[in-house]
Amino acid sequence: MSQPLLQVKDLHTYFNVEGQRAWACAGVSFDVMPGEFLGIVGESGSGKSVTALSIMRLIPDPPGRIDSGEVVFDGRDLLQLPLNEMRRVRGRDIAMIFQEPMTSLNPVLNIGRQVMEAVVLHEKLSREESRNRVIEVLEQVGIPDAGKRLKDYPHQFSGGMRQRVMIAMALICKPRLLIADEPTTALDVTIQAQILELMADLQNQREGSATILITHDLAVVAESCDRVIVMYGGRIQEVASTRDIFQEPLHPYTKGLMGSIPQEDSKGKPLFAIQGNVPAILDFPPGCRFCSRCELVEDRCRSEEPPLVDLGGGRAVRCHLVEKLPSNAEAEEAAP
Amino acid sequence: MAAYFARRFLLLIPTFIGITFVVFSITQFVPGGPIDQMILNMQASATEGGVGGSGSTVEIPPESLAALKEHFNLDKPFFVAYGYWLWDLVQLDLGKSYKYNVPVIEVITSRFPISIYFGLLGFFLAYLICVPLGVLKAIRHGSRLDIASSLIVFAGYSIPGWALGGVLLVLLGGGSFLDWIPLGGFRSEGWEDFSVWHKITDQLHHTILPVMAYMVGSFATLTILMKNSLMENLGQDYVRTAFAKGLSERSVIFGHALRNSLIPICTGLGHAIGLIMAGSYLIEKVFNIQGIGYLGYTSIVDRDYAVVMGILVINTLLVLIGNILSDVLYVLVDPRIRFS
């Protein structure tokens, strides 16, 4: 098997909240392979965005800080790079797309300039070359009449078009890793599908590059990802291929997320929801992070946090009950 | 957008008439008009001259009084008098000063350069100091420099300019303590005969304290506005996007955040135009500068209404045009804003 493009090892990031350290990302480890489309799923506050921002070293400090761990990219630990070298990684090797396409673009600069900025910075192209590259990449992401729109400002674009501009901006230097943090959340469903399709297309065009897609929406995962990491409480709870996770979710939290998706046969029935809310960051229980909301909770769960157990075949889950958990597939077979 | 600004300019007219009408009416109703003032002056000179002795009153023949009233349009209803005044104004005639008996325009133009000098100087210095200071404070928020400069600007904010001027004069004006700064005046006597270099240094010498007094109040607002505006923008999503592109902190601050945070500052420029010319009576009084603020005050006390109205006309026009200028600046600096 080829070398991973990115290895995140035991990443710990905290925020200072009311004088205490709130661990938004507590011992996260995963690999991203070249060509992979990896999803990171979880509710708000599960630590997925913090993980992404930690990889880019964009955690606002203060109040946040990356405490320990490694982020190995190209054989280098990004967390140890001097800041000026890290800047050369950002935008060129690893690019990022954010959730709110309106606020993530500078309202007073025209989009031509904003898209051009990274390529001017990293590739030292001439004005003419950069301009051509900008038009090329804007056309690639499906902005009609791109040449005429360079002088337009973000507010002159629709939400979907703005997100296309963001994608163009991220892809202009042909990064090997693209991190998309909730890229479709602020968009209409029809536009969502278009954007996801575009991202998948662009991923296939860039040989050996990978995408990390962060979302709370499992439908988005199903549409685009090869593999999924489920996060809760700053920890990875389950890792599996998209196929496995939909067919046979193991962690009670993953099952809860699945159950919250409306299905054909759930018509007329009340929609399932995981009980309770995600606790405030300082209020997570000791033991298993999810125990306060888990329907299958046992005494052990409240005192002792389960390890992330590798089940082989690319699957891992963090749950004491994993042996006892009847998988959905088995349950279906057992049914008369 | 041209239509919008055309409308704005047309709206100037009723606004201007409204403001001047109200002030004109007030001058007609307050007791002690120009004629009373004249009588008072005549009495004073009569008493000084020792004619008539104590308590004597100068009798003015009723026909002279009527003639005077007619001269000042005081014999007509105030709105008719206002009409006469406005009609003269349309012909660019502000009338004559009752007190100096010269055209109002001459009285005002003799004072304007002084006020414009201090006004513009204070204005530019305030922007030149406050904008960079605000930026520095935002970038180094919470640092010792930030806290110390906040302390100073807020202390300045809480001291009235004229009071600070008075204190500085006592300390530096050669009275009881140090003799660094002339006690007042716009220039030294005999300035016209000085060499060029001496002219400049003398002028600056006389300028330092009044300008400080003029600026001290606006300092805090402008600095803190700049700081807060930049800090707010540094927390925006687009700043994170800019960092994610690999830009340096410098490029992010100066290329992205600063431009946005200057929007409220730029638009304040238009409003400031009106303030530049307004002068300040108290500061001019403290430093014995014959500026427009001082003129405005004395003309009210002397019931020299032609001058009062003349100053009002000029200040009103400047403020109104300044407001429109602010809108123009908005359009220029913020592409999202298009008036229609």
Coordinates of all heavy atoms in Angstrom, one line a residue, chain B residues 19 25 34 36 42 54-56 66 73 89 101 117 153 166 168 173-174 188 235 246 256 280 286 322 333 337 339:
Chain B
I19 N -33.1 75.2 8.8 CA -32.2 75.6 9.9 C -32.1 77.1 10.0 O -32.2 77.6 11.1 CB -30.8 75.0 9.5 CG1 -30.8 73.4 9.6 CG2 -29.7 75.5 10.5 CD1 -29.6 72.7 9.1
S25 N -35.5 83.2 13.4 CA -36.7 83.5 14.2 C -36.3 83.7 15.7 O -36.8 84.6 16.3 CB -37.7 82.4 14.2 OG -37.9 82.0 12.8
P34 N -30.4 94.2 18.3 CA -29.4 95.2 17.9 C -29.6 96.6 18.4 O -28.7 97.3 18.7 CB -29.3 95.1 16.4 CG -30.5 94.3 16.0 CD -31.0 93.5 17.2
D36 N -31.5 97.7 21.0 CA -31.2 97.8 22.4 C -29.7 97.9 22.7 O -29.2 98.7 23.5 CB -31.8 96.6 23.2 CG -33.3 96.6 23.1 OD1 -33.9 97.7 23.0 OD2 -33.9 95.5 23.0
M42 N -24.7 103.6 23.5 CA -24.7 105.1 23.5 C -24.8 105.6 24.9 O -24.1 106.5 25.3 CB -26.0 105.6 22.7 CG -25.8 105.5 21.2 SD -27.4 105.5 20.4 CE -27.7 107.3 20.3
S54 N -25.2 110.5 36.7 CA -25.6 109.1 36.9 C -27.1 108.9 36.7 O -27.9 109.8 36.9 CB -25.3 108.8 38.4 OG -26.1 109.6 39.2
G55 N -27.3 107.7 36.1 CA -28.7 107.3 36.0 C -29.4 108.0 34.8 O -30.6 107.8 34.6
S56 N -28.7 108.8 34.0 CA -29.3 109.5 32.9 C -29.6 108.5 31.8 O -28.9 107.5 31.6 CB -28.4 110.6 32.4 OG -27.4 110.0 31.6
A66 N -37.7 104.5 14.7 CA -38.5 103.8 13.6 C -37.6 103.6 12.4 O -37.7 102.5 11.8 CB -39.7 104.7 13.3
N73 N -35.0 95.8 9.4 CA -36.2 95.0 9.1 C -36.9 94.6 10.4 O -37.6 93.6 10.4 CB -35.9 93.8 8.3 CG -35.6 94.2 6.8 OD1 -36.1 95.2 6.3 ND2 -34.7 93.5 6.2
L89 N -29.4 86.8 0.6 CA -28.5 85.7 0.6 C -28.4 85.1 -0.8 O -27.3 84.8 -1.3 CB -28.9 84.6 1.6 CG -28.0 83.5 1.7 CD1 -26.7 83.9 2.3 CD2 -28.6 82.3 2.5
N101 N -19.9 97.5 11.1 CA -20.4 98.3 10.0 C -19.6 98.0 8.7 O -19.3 98.9 7.9 CB -20.3 99.8 10.3 CG -21.3 100.5 9.4 OD1 -22.4 99.9 9.0 ND2 -21.1 101.8 9.1
Y117 N -6.9 76.9 9.6 CA -5.5 76.5 9.9 C -5.5 75.5 11.1 O -5.0 74.4 11.0 CB -4.6 77.7 10.2 CG -3.3 77.4 10.8 CD1 -2.3 76.9 10.0 CD2 -3.0 77.6 12.1 CE1 -1.0 76.6 10.5 CE2 -1.8 77.3 12.7 CZ -0.8 76.8 11.8 OH 0.5 76.5 12.3
V153 N -5.4 58.1 26.1 CA -6.4 58.7 25.3 C -7.7 58.9 26.0 O -8.4 59.9 25.8 CB -6.7 57.9 24.0 CG1 -5.5 57.9 23.1 CG2 -7.2 56.5 24.2
G166 N -5.7 75.5 29.4 CA -5.4 76.4 30.5 C -4.2 75.8 31.3 O -3.3 76.5 31.7
L168 N -1.9 73.6 30.5 CA -0.7 73.6 29.8 C -0.1 75.0 29.8 O 1.1 75.2 29.9 CB -0.8 73.1 28.4 CG -1.1 71.6 28.4 CD1 -1.4 71.1 26.9 CD2 0.1 70.8 28.9
G173 N 3.6 78.2 29.9 CA 3.5 79.5 29.2 C 4.3 80.6 29.9 O 4.1 81.8 29.6
G174 N 5.3 80.3 30.7 CA 6.2 81.3 31.2 C 5.7 82.0 32.4 O 6.3 83.0 32.9
S188 N 3.4 85.9 16.7 CA 4.0 87.0 17.5 C 3.8 88.3 16.8 O 3.5 88.4 15.6 CB 5.5 86.8 17.6 OG 5.8 85.6 18.4
G235 N -11.5 39.2 13.4 CA -12.2 38.0 13.9 C -13.2 37.4 12.8 O -13.8 36.4 13.0
G246 N -2.2 31.1 3.0 CA -0.8 31.2 3.2 C -0.2 32.6 3.3 O 1.0 32.8 3.3
H256 N -6.2 42.8 3.8 CA -7.6 42.4 3.9 C -8.4 43.1 5.0 O -9.4 43.7 4.7 CB -7.7 40.8 4.2 CG -7.5 40.0 2.9 ND1 -8.5 39.6 2.2 CD2 -6.3 39.6 2.4 CE1 -8.0 38.9 1.1 NE2 -6.7 38.9 1.2
S280 N -13.6 76.6 18.1 CA -14.1 76.4 19.5 C -13.9 77.7 20.3 O -12.8 78.2 20.4 CB -13.3 75.3 20.1 OG -13.4 75.4 21.5
V286 N -9.1 80.9 25.5 CA -7.9 80.5 26.4 C -6.6 81.0 25.7 O -5.7 81.5 26.4 CB -7.9 79.0 26.7 CG1 -6.5 78.6 27.3 CG2 -9.0 78.7 27.6
G322 N -20.8 68.1 3.8 CA -20.0 67.0 4.5 C -20.8 65.7 4.5 O -20.2 64.6 4.3
V333 N -15.5 53.4 -1.0 CA -14.7 52.5 -0.2 C -15.5 51.1 0.0 O -14.8 50.1 0.2 CB -14.3 53.0 1.2 CG1 -13.3 54.1 1.0 CG2 -15.5 53.4 2.0
I337 N -22.2 49.0 -1.3 CA -23.2 50.1 -1.2 C -23.4 50.8 -2.5 O -22.4 51.3 -3.1 CB -22.7 51.1 -0.1 CG1 -22.8 50.3 1.2 CG2 -23.6 52.3 -0.1 CD1 -22.3 51.1 2.4
F339 N -26.3 53.4 -3.9 CA -27.5 54.2 -3.6 C -28.4 54.2 -4.9 O -27.9 54.4 -6.0 CB -27.2 55.6 -3.2 CG -26.5 55.6 -1.9 CD1 -25.2 56.1 -1.8 CD2 -27.2 55.3 -0.7 CE1 -24.5 56.1 -0.6 CE2 -26.5 55.3 0.5 CZ -25.2 55.7 0.6

